[in-house]
Every structure is written in structure tokens, then in C-alpha cells.
């Protein structure tokens, strides 16, 4: 089987350490298992999966019908900082033998746990490619440091949000090896349709419990401030006891401080309290239904700020463990508390509400994207990572490939008077420019554009430029993406109608901005004045064969021609009205006028905004671009930016 230069199935090792990472890895594992013609799957289980106190959660992997290749007992008991370090060391001792036997092509590692750091370190030192899931996120504890350390060891990255993708790019990771896929657990969350959810609720919380009338609590220690996190847990339990609602409490994870948290639970009698059910583990399918129909979730688990938003369930996020996470409007933060009162008040505010469902972390299609990404990996590519560092200073050494080839784009500017095509380099330099008068008919324009692009592409070879794509000037860019519209005609801003009985536009309508303010429109008005001998004033002259242009109208206005001044004022007003419409529609933070006419219109546009715009948008800045060719450079930048990123 041939795929991207690979002559064999891709051997994928998925290593899972705990119940939380398995909920993210399981959908990917099912996807890999479903395509045996492309993949071979090896499953390695380690960490708290194999500890009875944490539910022996390896059993759910077996129940999902996955063959576990290796079980590694890597947790050193003690639940303190030293035990975490020793656990990493024990994993590092045991993993090399396993990886030598498996010889995977790639290892999939999830998240930010200390076990995952041991996995990534072992694989990197043994020259095994690493795919890291959920890199680039920010939470606010030692998990951040571990997550970013794994990012630097990983060769490929699957992130869940646009912000996480930007963080990875800022960390100098290769754009081509970053996939914005969404969270794999959302594939299951957004398709969860269990009509018998009441039986699950009753099984875990009792026969008399109703939907939206119970609480799910899940709180872990914060390893950078264990004493404070234990105090917060005490206050949380006190508040829950006072709130007097049926509550499902899950035991904390294996991090340092968890033993003390369990002692607090037992000291307060939580395991025997009639309102509480304390459990070590709930299968993920059932946990989904429990949080989906809860009156509230409380704690500091990432599940609260990530997955629970998919159901709109209210969440109270406690402390600093998830500081920096992107959250939906369903999350209420209690950063710190000295008494139970603040937490109790948060419960009173949140309990029983229903918020809009949030899809910040996924749209339910992460796994197909990840599988496609895996299939695209070329094992013949060099294993050594490349980092995309920002330029510090020019390197005086040279590379023959850089000498022979410059990455570039073809930019097209469809002006009213002229058609322009340019070869623009990655540095924003215009290598070659082509200009032709704009033909009258649509067919002739298309033919000329194609002809100019072909000519420019041919010339690019001669000037050692590799064309990455073609960009056309004009449009709306939102969150780094060009808005196309349903028929690829979005952002025809020049054809905003500003008058019902205005001059005829080339598009066939009347009163468009272009009919007033374009170079062609001003040329038309200049010609009318010239035909009536009203254009030329003292200080102006024209040769007999000279063609009347917009430049003559501008010159006449500068020299005191009142009719020319009136035409320019009307054009500026029309443009200003169009800008006001745009301000009211998309509320931009900045308006940039560009082109040769911009400086003549800017004051009129500002005046119209001041007179006509709503007060909420009047303060927008209006500036004139100082770029020589803003349309060409903007079109080129879209191509050059897009071709350096990968999104399936």
C-alpha cells in the first residue's frame, strides 16, 4: 500500500495514563481501528489506570474491545511532589523496552500530565515521531509547563481552538505540522443521544433524583499550591453540604495532594452523607449523560470548562487550575475564597440554569480530520524537527535553494480604470508589475486577466520566483480567513447603493459608490466638464490628443475650479455613506482608505461619519494607507499567509 511515500501501514502507538486522557484518545483509537487497511494500533496502558484506588480504569479500555499490548505500573504511591517525580523516573526506566519491542512509526500522546511527559521524552530520545493532542492551551498551573515541554518534543500537533493554534505558532512550531481539528471527545459529546439517561442518573444518584436537580463535583489538587487547594476543597464541601442538593462527588486524580483531599472527604463524612454519592470512576459515556442533565457542575476539572459547555450546563470553576482556559458563558469563576459563603452564593446563582450550548472546543468532526492528518505523514521526511523562529537578523550564509527560488504570489487588482497584476515576494516586495487599461466588457476583462496572469507566471520562472497562489484585491478578512459568500461574490463594497437615483454604474445599477467615487466615475465627470469647456482653469493646459482623466479633475479642484470641487465633494460624500453602512454592519476597529484618491476623500469621509453614523461607531479611526500598492500587497498576503498554514 502506497500513501505519501509510505510502503506499509502506519504503526500507531496510543499510550493512555488515566481516565481523563482516555476520553480524548478513545475516539481516535476507534477511528484507527476502523481503518485496518491504513493503520496498525498498539495500546499501552500506564499510570493511574492500573491502581485500584482510582478505579482500575484499564477495564473500560478492555470493555471497549481494545487489545492492551502492554501494562506498565509506573505510579509510585505517596501522592506528593516527590512521588510524582519518582513516577516519571519509573516510567522512563520501563518505556524503552516497550518501545523497542513495538517499534511504532508514531506515538500519540495527550495533554499535560507528568506521565505524558515521560512518554514524550522516551519517544523523542528513541527517534519515534510524536503526535501531541491538545497542545497550545493555557490553564495556569504546572500543567502549562508540562504541556509546552511536550509541545517542544512533539513532531506533529493537533489543537482544539484557534487560540491554541496561534500559541503553537508563537512557540515557533512548524505551521505545516499543526492541525486545528477540535477536541476528539466532542465527536462523542455532540452525537450523544441516550434516551434512557434517567436510568444512568438513578444508578449513580438514587431513584428519587430528577434532571437538573443534582450537582456533579470534581476537584483536583493544584500541585503548585497544595495547601491552598485543599482549603478550597474543604470550603467547597461545606458549601455543598449547606446547599442541600444531591451531589455526585468523584475522587481526585493521582496528583500530589490527592491523599489529603480524600482525607478531607472522609473527615466530613461525605461517603456516608445521605445527600452525597462518592465514586472513584464513572464510565465516560455515562459521565456525559450525568453532566448533560445536571443542575450544575462544580470543581476545577478541565472537563468543566471544556466538555460541559457542549450541553450548556452551568459550571462553577474553582481556584487557579484552569486559569487561562477558553470558556463559554456557562462558566462562573470563583478564583479564591476565604469562607464557604462565596462558593455558596455561586451555587445559588448557577444551579438550575440552562445556557446556550458552546462549541469552542469542537464541532464533532475532529477524528476524521486527525485520521486524514495521520495518513498525510510522510515517514521519509527527516525526523529532526524544524522550528520557525522569528527573524533576528539576516544570516550572512546562503542556501542554494533560496538563491534559486523565492516564494511568491500573483496579486490581481481589478480597478475601474486599470487591471494590474504583480509578482509579490514573501517579504512584500513587488518583483514585477503589469498594468493594462480595463476593457469595457466582462468577457474581455476575464480574457485579459488570464492573459496577464499567464504572462506573469511565465516571467516568474525567469526571475526565480515560485508562485504559491493567486490573490485578488478587495474583500473582507475575518479571523484570518477570506469571506467568500455563497456564490464567491462577498464584499462587493464598491456596489453599495448610496442613492436611489444616482448615476448609472458599470454593474447596471444606479447610485453605487463606484458610480460616484471610482477613478472611472471621476474621469466621466471630468470629460463632461471638458466637453462644456468648464474643466480647465488658469494654470492648466492640455495637449489636443491628451485623454481627459481623473487627475485633471483633481488638478482643477486644487486650482479653484468650484465645479470640480463640487464633484469631488459629492464623491467623498458617497464614499462616506458607504463607509457608514459598513460601520453599521460589521463594526470594524479601523477604516483604511487606500489608492491615489484616498487623500482627497479622507476628510469628506470623516465628516459624513461624524454627521450620519451612530454614536457607537463614530469614534472609529479613518486613516490613509501609506503603502504604494495596498490592493496588490493585500491580495498577495492572503495567499502567502494561507499557504503557510494547514487546516483540513
Amino acid at each position: 500500500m502506497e500513501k505519501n511515500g509510505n510502503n506499509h501501514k502506519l504503526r500507531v502507538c496510543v499510550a493512555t495514563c488515566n481516565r481523563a486522557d482516555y476520553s480524548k484518545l478513545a475516539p481516535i483509537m476507534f477511528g484507527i481501528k476502523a481503518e485496518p487497511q491504513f493503520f496498525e494500533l498498539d495500546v499501552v496502558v500506564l499510570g493511574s489506570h492500573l491502581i485500584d484506588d482510582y478505579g482500575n480504569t484499564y477495564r473500560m479500555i478492555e470493555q471497549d474491545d481494545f487489545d492492551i499490548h502492554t501494562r506498565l505500573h509506573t505510579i509510585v504511591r505517596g501522592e506528593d511532589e516527590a512521588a510524582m517525580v519518582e513516577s516519571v523516573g519509573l516510567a522512563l526506566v520501563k518505556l524503552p523496552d516497550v518501545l523497542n519491542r513495538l517499534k511504532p512509526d508514531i506515538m500519540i500522546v495527550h495533554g499535560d500530565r507528568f506521565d505524558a511527559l515521560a512518554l514524550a521524552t522516551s519517544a523523542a530520545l528513541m527517534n519515534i515521531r510524536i503526535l501531541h493532542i491538545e497542545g497550545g492551551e493555557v490553564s495556569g498551573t504546572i500543567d502549562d509547563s508540562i504541556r509546552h515541554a511536550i509541545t517542544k518534543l512533539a513532531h506533529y500537533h493537533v489543537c482544539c481552538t484557534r487560540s491554541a493554534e496561534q500559541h503553537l505558532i508563537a512557540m515557533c512550531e512548524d505551521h505545516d505540522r499543526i492541525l486545528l481539528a477540535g477536541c476528539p471527545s466532542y465527536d462523542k459529546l455532540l452525537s450523544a443521544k441516550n434516551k434512557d439517561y434517567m436510568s444512568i442518573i438513578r444508578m449513580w444518584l438514587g431513584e428519587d433524583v430528577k434532571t437538573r436537580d443534582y450537582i456533579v463535583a470534581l476537584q483536583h489538587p493544584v500541585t503548585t499550591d497544595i495547601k491552598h487547594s485543599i482549603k478550597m476543597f474543604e470550603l467547597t464541601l461545606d458549601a455543598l453540604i449547606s446547599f442541600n442538593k444531591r451531589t455526585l462527588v468523584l475522587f481526585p486524580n493521582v496528583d500530589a495532594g490527592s491523599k489529603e483531599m480524600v482525607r478531607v472527604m472522609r473527615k466530613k463524612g461525605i461517603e456516608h452523607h445521605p445527600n452525597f454519592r462518592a465514586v472513584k470512576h464513572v464510565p465516560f459515556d455515562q459521565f456525559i449523560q450525568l453532566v448533560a442533565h445536571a443542575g450544575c457542575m462544580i470543581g476545577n476539572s478541565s472537563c468543566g470548562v471544556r466538555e460541559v459547555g457542549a450541553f450548556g450546563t452551568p459550571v462553577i470553576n474553582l481556584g487557579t487550575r484552569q486559569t487561562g482556559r477558553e470558556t463559554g458563558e456557562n462558566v462562573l469563576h470563583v478564583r479564591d475564597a476565604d469562607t464557604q459563603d462565596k462558593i455558596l452564593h455561586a451555587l445559588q446563582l448557577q444551579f438550575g440554569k440552562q445556557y446556550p450550548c458552546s462549541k469552542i472546543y469542537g464541532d464533532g468532526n475532529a477524528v476524521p480530520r486527525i485520521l486524514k492528518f495521520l495518513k498525510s505523514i510522510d515517514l521519509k521526511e527527516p525526523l529532526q524537527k524544524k522550528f520557525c523562529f522569528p527573524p533576528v537578523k539576516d544570516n550572512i550564509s546562503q542556501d542554494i535553494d533560496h538563491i534559486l527560488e523565492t516564494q511568491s504570489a500573483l496579486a490581481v487588482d481589478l480597478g475601474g480604470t486599470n487591471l494590474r497584476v504583480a509578482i509579490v515576494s514573501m517579504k512584500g516586495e513587488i518583483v514585477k508589475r503589469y498594468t493594462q487599461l480595463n476593457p469595457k466588457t466582462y468577457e474581455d476583462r476575464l480574457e485579459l486577466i488570464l492573459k496577464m496572469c499567464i504572462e506573469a507566471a511565465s516571467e516568474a520562472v525567469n526571475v526565480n520566483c515560485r508562485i504559491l497562489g493567486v490573490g485578488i484585491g478587495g474583500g473582507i478578512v475575518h479571523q484570518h480567513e477570506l469571506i467568500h459568500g455563497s456564490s464567491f461574490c462577498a464584499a462587493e463594497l464598491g456596489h453599495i447603493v448610496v442613492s436611489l437615483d444616482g448615476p448609472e454604474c458599470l454593474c447596471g445599477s444606479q447610485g453605487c459608490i463606484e458610480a460616484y467615487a471610482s477613478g472611472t466615475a471621476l474621469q466621466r465627470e471630468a470629460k463632461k466638464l471638458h466637453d462644456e469647456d468648464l474643466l480647465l482653469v488658469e494654470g492648466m493646459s492640455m495637449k489636443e490628443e491628451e485623454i481627459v482623466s481623473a487627475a485633471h479633475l483633481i488638478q482643477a479642484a486644487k486650482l479653484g475650479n468650484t465645479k470640480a470641487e463640487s464633484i469631488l465633494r459629492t464623491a467623498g460624500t458617497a464614499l462616506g455613506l458607504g463607509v457608514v453602512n459598513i460601520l453599521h454592519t460589521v463594526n470594524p476597529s479601523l477604516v483604511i482608505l487606500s489608492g491615489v484618491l484616498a487623500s482627497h476623500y479622507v476628510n469628506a469621509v470623516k465628516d459624513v461619519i461624524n454627521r450620519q453614523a451612530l454614536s457607537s461607531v463614530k469614534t472609529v479611526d479613518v486613516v490613509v494607507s501609506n503603502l504604494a500598492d495596498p490592493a496588490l500587497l493585500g491580495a498577495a498576503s492572503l495567499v502567502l499567509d494561507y499557504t503557510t498554514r494547514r487546516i483540513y
Side-chain angles (χ1 to χ4, degrees):
M1 182 178 59
E2 186 79 18
K3 48 183 215 313
N4 285 341
N6 303 332
N7 296 317
H8 65 282
K9 297 178 184 180
L10 193 70
R11 189 159 192 174
V12 181
C13 176
V14 177
T16 173
C17 311
N18 53 63
R19 66 191 182 197
D21 76 17
Y22 182 67
S23 69
K24 316 294 179 67
L25 294 171
I28 303 172
M29 293 162 63
F30 279 115
I32 291 172
K33 187 177 179 181
E35 299 195 27
Q37 70 275 29
F38 292 110
F39 306 108
E40 290 182 16
L41 175 64
D42 292 312
V43 180
V44 174
V45 172
L46 64 159
S48 61
H49 272 310
L50 302 170
I51 300 178
D52 180 63
D53 286 352
Y54 296 92
N56 283 325
T57 50
Y58 72 89
R59 290 173 183 154
M60 64 183 177
I61 304 172
E62 294 177 331
Q63 290 167 1
D64 284 340
D65 201 27
F66 289 111
D67 295 326
I68 298 176
H69 181 277
T70 303
R71 294 175 174 84
L72 288 180
H73 292 271
T74 57
I75 297 297
V76 176
R77 301 306 300 272
E79 285 79 16
D80 59 14
E81 295 96 330
M84 290 169 62
V85 177
E86 291 168 357
S87 297
V88 172
L90 184 57
L92 288 171
V93 169
K94 291 186 173 184
L95 279 166
D97 178 61
V98 175
L99 297 179
N100 266 330
R101 284 188 282 110
L102 291 179
K103 291 184 168 51
D105 296 316
I106 191 164
M107 173 178 277
I108 297 180
V109 177
H110 170 270
D112 48 30
R113 307 291 300 139
F114 58 84
D115 322 71
L117 180 60
L119 287 165
T121 302
S122 301
L125 291 174
M126 296 183 70
N127 290 326
I128 296 169
R129 297 166 194 266
I130 301 165
L131 176 69
H132 185 207
I133 309 292
E134 292 187 9
E137 297 185 15
V138 178
S139 56
T141 66
I142 190 65
D143 295 351
D144 274 347
S145 300
I146 294 175
R147 187 186 310 111
H148 300 333
I150 296 172
T151 289
K152 304 322 293 179
L153 293 169
H155 303 81
Y156 306 94
H157 312 274
V158 172
C159 55
C160 301
T161 68
R162 178 76 64 183
S163 293
E165 179 193 34
Q166 293 304 311
H167 292 158
L168 290 172
I169 292 171
M171 292 165 66
C172 305
E173 293 300 312
D174 187 344
H175 303 186
D176 290 339
R177 296 192 172 194
I178 300 172
L179 171 68
L180 175 55
C183 182
S185 64
Y186 265 62
D187 290 27
K188 181 172 284 189
L189 292 177
L190 297 179
S191 62
K193 302 290 183 184
N194 192 327
K195 296 180 181 179
D196 195 25
Y197 58 84
M198 281 306 304
S199 65
I200 296 173
I201 294 172
R202 288 170 183 150
M203 178 174 66
W204 291 100
L205 286 145
E207 291 293 327
D208 57 336
V209 177
K210 299 177 182 178
T211 60
R212 305 289 175 199
D213 198 36
Y214 62 89
I215 296 168
V216 176
L218 177 53
Q219 199 157 340
H220 302 299
V222 178
T223 57
T224 50
D225 195 351
I226 295 172
K227 187 178 293 186
H228 181 262
S229 63
I230 292 170
K231 178 63 177 175
M232 281 285 284
F233 187 51
E234 282 190 78
L235 296 174
T236 302
L237 294 179
D238 289 340
L240 288 169
I241 291 169
S242 299
F243 197 63
N244 198 31
K245 288 290 182 181
R246 192 67 56 83
T247 302
L248 180 70
V249 180
L250 280 82
F251 276 61
N253 63 21
V254 74
D255 281 352
S258 59
K259 186 187 293 184
E260 288 84 351
M261 291 182 77
V262 173
R263 285 198 192 105
V264 170
M265 288 175 61
R266 288 173 176 158
K267 179 182 174 182
K268 293 184 179 294
I270 295 300
E271 291 172 289
H272 305 290
H273 194 288
N275 263 353
F276 288 83
R277 300 291 186 271
V279 298
K280 295 175 181 177
H281 168 65
V282 178
F284 186 64
D285 288 352
Q286 297 176 29
F287 184 73
I288 289 173
Q289 299 300 328
L290 289 169
V291 296
H293 299 94
C296 181
M297 182 175 179
I298 187 170
N300 62 4
S301 168
S302 63
C303 174
V305 298
R306 293 169 59 96
E307 281 84 356
V308 178
F311 307 111
T313 301
V315 171
I316 299 170
N317 178 53
L318 301 172
T320 60
R321 191 169 183 266
Q322 303 302 332
T323 299
R325 292 271 192 198
E326 297 172 72
T327 64
E329 60 180 290
N330 64 312
V331 178
L332 176 64
H333 298 280
V334 180
R335 306 292 187 192
D336 198 4
D338 297 323
T339 68
Q340 63 162 304
D341 294 345
K342 192 182 289 187
I343 300 173
L344 188 59
H345 186 60
L347 284 165
Q348 292 165 350
L349 287 173
Q350 286 285 78
F351 186 78
K353 283 186 177 180
Q354 180 63 46
Y355 289 91
C357 298
S358 167
K359 294 184 180 179
I360 293 173
Y361 286 93
D363 60 3
N365 295 298
V367 172
R369 296 184 183 115
I370 293 169
L371 295 182
K372 185 176 180 181
F373 191 59
L374 281 169
K375 292 172 188 174
S376 74
I377 292 173
D378 186 355
L379 299 180
K380 293 182 180 179
E381 286 184 350
L383 184 68
Q384 177 60 47
K385 284 187 65 170
K386 295 179 180 178
F387 297 102
C388 301
F389 295 109
V392 179
K393 64 177 183 178
D394 290 337
N395 195 333
I396 59 172
S397 63
Q398 298 188 63
D399 187 295
I400 187 64
D401 291 329
H402 294 167
I403 293 171
L404 296 177
E405 181 179 82
T406 302
Q407 291 186 329
S408 307
L410 279 190
V412 180
D413 178 18
L414 309 179
T417 306
N418 295 310
L419 293 179
R420 298 191 301 157
V421 173
I423 303 169
V424 182
S425 74
M426 188 70 80
K427 292 183 178 180
E429 298 170 347
I430 295 181
V431 179
K432 189 104 177 180
R433 184 189 287 103
Y434 304 82
T435 303
Q436 295 277 3
L437 286 173
N438 201 341
K440 299 296 183 184
T441 67
Y442 168 79
E443 292 79 8
D444 289 343
R445 288 177 194 165
L446 273 183
E447 184 179 347
L448 181 57
I449 290 170
L450 289 173
K451 181 181 177 183
M452 293 171 71
C453 286
I454 292 170
E455 182 183 351
S458 300
E459 180 61 21
V461 177
N462 298 329
V463 293
N464 299 321
C465 290
R466 179 160 67 95
I467 301 299
L468 301 177
V470 180
I472 297 176
I476 295 174
V477 179
H478 177 63
Q479 293 184 344
H480 307 287
E481 298 291 339
L482 181 66
I483 296 177
H484 296 288
S486 59
S487 58
F488 294 88
C489 294
E492 285 287 358
L493 306 179
H495 295 287
I496 293 174
V497 175
V498 293
S499 173
L500 295 178
D501 56 355
E504 186 175 341
C505 181
L506 291 174
C507 71
S509 183
Q510 283 184 295
C512 299
I513 293 175
E514 280 196 13
Y516 284 103
S518 68
T520 303
L522 296 185
Q523 182 185 30
R524 180 194 64 225
E525 296 302 316
K527 191 171 186 305
K528 285 182 182 178
L529 291 181
H530 185 64
D531 290 344
E532 297 172 7
D533 290 329
L534 298 174
L535 177 64
L536 299 182
V537 294
E538 186 177 350
M540 287 182 66
S541 63
M542 286 183 61
K543 297 178 181 178
E544 190 173 334
E545 68 278 5
E546 189 174 352
I547 298 174
V548 179
S549 68
H552 293 113
L553 186 75
I554 294 169
Q555 184 185 9
K558 286 181 177 179
L559 292 174
N561 186 323
T562 56
K563 292 188 178 296
E565 289 174 349
S566 175
I567 291 169
L568 284 178
R569 194 179 308 111
T570 300
T573 301
L575 179 59
L577 289 172
V579 170
V580 168
N581 287 331
I582 296 168
L583 294 178
H584 290 166
T585 305
V586 296
N587 189 22
S589 59
L590 180 67
V591 175
I592 304 175
L593 303 180
S594 62
V596 295
L597 298 173
S599 60
H600 302 288
Y601 289 151
V602 64
N603 290 330
V605 169
K606 288 180 178 178
D607 182 57
V608 175
I609 292 173
N610 190 51
R611 287 187 287 106
Q612 302 277 11
L614 295 173
S615 58
S616 57
V617 297
K618 276 186 180 180
T619 57
V620 69
D621 287 331
V622 182
V623 298
V624 176
S625 170
N626 58 8
L627 295 174
D629 293 287
L632 291 172
L633 294 176
S637 69
L638 289 175
V639 169
L640 297 173
D641 175 64
Y642 184 81
T643 53
T644 57
R645 294 182 289 121
R646 170 181 277 167
I647 300 177
Y648 289 118

